[in-house]
Amino acid sequence: MSTTRIAIAAALAAAIAAPLPTQAQGNVEKCYGVAKAGKNDCQTDHSSCAGTSKKDGQTDAWLAVPKGTCQKIVGGKLTSS
């Protein structure tokens, strides 16, 4: 396989593996209080970007989950508090 083909294949694989922005996924909701430390999807009240939550279950850190599932997760809330 040529270097160009490998580069194209790698770029396509990365694009497919990357999650869509939360706003583009119409059937998701923000689920607060369930993210592991450093695994949140977006900024929190105390940090500026994804992957920066300081502790497991941080109440202002959220994950995007399919609508209707957040309240089924232990500790999951639809609002940060």
Side-chain angles (χ1 to χ4, degrees), residues 2-41:
S2 72
T3 304
T4 304
R5 284 186 179 182
I6 291 172
I8 292 171
L12 286 173
I16 291 169
L20 294 173
T22 303
Q23 292 79 12
Q25 299 173 355
N27 293 321
V28 297
E29 61 192 5
K30 291 180 181 179
C31 189
Y32 294 88
V34 297
K36 295 289 188 184
K39 302 293 183 181
N40 58 303
D41 279 342

Side-chain angles (χ1 to χ4, degrees), residues 1-2 5 9 11 13 19 22 31 35 38-39 41-42 45 50 57-59 66-67 69-70 72 74 79-81:
M1 202 175 224
S2 72
R5 284 186 179 182
T22 303
C31 189
K39 302 293 183 181
D41 279 342
C42 200
D45 293 340
Q58 186 172 317
T59 58
K67 281 187 180 178
T69 60
C70 182
K72 295 177 184 178
V74 174
T79 59
S80 66
S81 56

